[in-house]
Amino acid sequence: MTATTVSARIASLTATLGWNTTAGFVQPATAAILSPVPSSLHPELASRLAGQYPGGLYRHQALAIAHLAGREDVALTTPTSSGKSLVFIAGAMQILLHDRSAKVIALYPMKALGNDQFGKWREALGACGLRVAVLDGDVKSMKEREKLLAENHVILMTPDVLHTWFMASLHVPAVRAFRDRLRMVILDEAHVHDGVFGTGTAYLMRRLEACGPRYQFIASSATIGSVETFLAQLSGRNLTVVSAEDDGSPRHAVIWSRVLAGGADSFASRAVLMQSLAAE
């Protein structure tokens, strides 16, 4: 269904409900903007990316990965569904392919999100003989947790697990050894770490950094006001920001309509409109 057809359908539905469409416009679709795979990558990683993406990476992906290859700390603030996971995984692989004794932590704000991303990590790392595991509350045995740290290159966890177990267990040889080899920390969905939760995360990031060698840091965040200041306060780092202005991912057309609805039954009418549009 074209944008014009959808706009006409919205106008028709709102008219039948007695609503008044006062304004509207179509934000046009945009094509992907591609850039070559950065030449500064480890040869094995560069070869795999070139094979998987023969036309090139999205512009922001190539830019962020190049910054990471240059050992910079990076903040990625491009829109949802713009391919941030590829940047995380490529950044981690760049480090691990140069040093297979290195370790990486990927922090996801919710257990379900980490589990959802696990398949992507396992597929990409497995092709290079690298290993990844999820460490969450389902892993009850302390010995099993220590084994996961020892046997895997990348560990997916939540900030809660990092705080309540990992940081409290630095006296354990396996945990201490993992921290000593930690070379990258990834913080996904950083914008959820605001308010009191954000203050706790900021202290956690500083505690983690204080107890061992310096590691590289990458965060992703939705586009918010003063994102550079926010992420600097959260991480304690000066981050190179790859923003929505650098976004090279394709976008579908978006239809914006301003509709005025009155009357006691306006809420029910909205429900009817949403159900009708969903049915389309």
Side-chain angles (χ1 to χ4, degrees):
M1 185 179 292
T2 66
T4 301
T5 304
V6 173
S7 295
R9 182 60 175 152
I10 291 174
S12 174
L13 286 169
T14 55
T16 61
L17 293 169
W19 294 0
N20 181 27
T21 302
T22 61
F25 69 94
V26 176
Q27 184 176 329
T30 58
I33 303 173
L34 302 178
S35 296
V37 173
S39 59
S40 54
L41 298 182
H42 185 282
E44 185 174 355
L45 175 57
S47 176
R48 289 188 178 278
L49 289 176
Q52 293 172 349
Y53 306 96
L57 305 176
Y58 296 147
R59 178 174 60 187
H60 66 279
Q61 291 175 327
L63 184 60
I65 292 170
H67 286 309
L68 291 171
R71 301 291 183 176
E72 297 177 51
D73 298 321
V74 173
L76 189 58
T77 62
T78 53
T80 302
S81 301
S82 59
K84 297 186 183 76
S85 295
L86 177 65
V87 176
F88 296 160
I89 294 170
M93 290 178 66
Q94 171 72 2
I95 288 176
L96 296 170
L97 289 172
H98 278 290
D99 178 8
R100 289 178 177 263
S101 70
K103 302 290 186 178
V104 174
I105 289 177
L107 296 171
Y108 293 95
M110 294 176 290
K111 172 182 171 181
L113 182 56
N115 288 330
D116 179 66
Q117 295 296 311
F118 174 65
K120 295 180 182 179
W121 279 98
R122 181 172 57 184
E123 180 180 0
L125 269 61
C128 297
L130 300 169
R131 296 178 300 278
V132 58
V134 176
L135 201 165
D136 57 27
D138 292 338
V139 184
K140 304 296 184 183
S141 166
M142 295 301 104
K143 291 298 182 183
E144 181 62 23
R145 291 187 175 196
E146 293 172 24
K147 183 179 179 181
L148 289 178
L149 294 182
E151 295 182 351
N152 292 278
H153 300 89
V154 179
I155 298 293
L156 313 186
M157 65 174 73
T158 63
D160 287 342
V161 172
L162 179 64
H163 170 65
T164 60
W165 178 73
F166 187 93
M167 295 301 296
S169 303
L170 287 173
H171 62 284
V172 177
V175 179
R176 182 76 244 178
F178 185 95
R179 174 60 189 91
D180 288 343
R181 295 196 297 271
L182 184 62
R183 297 295 178 265
M184 175 174 279
V185 171
I186 298 163
L187 181 63
D188 194 20
E189 303 286 346
H191 54 276
V192 307
H193 298 268
D194 60 356
V196 174
F197 185 39
T199 301
T201 302
Y203 279 118
L204 177 60
M205 293 296 97
R206 287 156 176 79
R207 287 177 57 214
L208 179 63
E209 184 166 0
C211 66
R214 186 174 176 84
Y215 51 79
Q216 198 170 1
F217 184 83
I218 177 171
S220 76
S221 174
T223 302
I224 57 176
S226 303
V227 64
E228 293 92 343
T229 301
F230 169 75
L231 291 174
Q233 292 173 341
L234 187 67
S235 66
R237 306 281 187 100
N238 291 319
L239 306 176
T240 299
V241 178
V242 178
S243 69
E245 294 180 358
D246 305 306
D247 183 24
S249 60
R251 294 288 149 186
H252 296 294
V254 178
I255 301 168
W256 301 88
S257 295
R258 181 170 182 262
V259 179
L260 297 181
D265 63 341
S266 60
F267 180 82
S269 298
R270 290 192 189 95
V272 171
L273 175 61
M274 287 187 289
Q275 290 173 5
S276 298
L277 292 176
E280 295 295 328

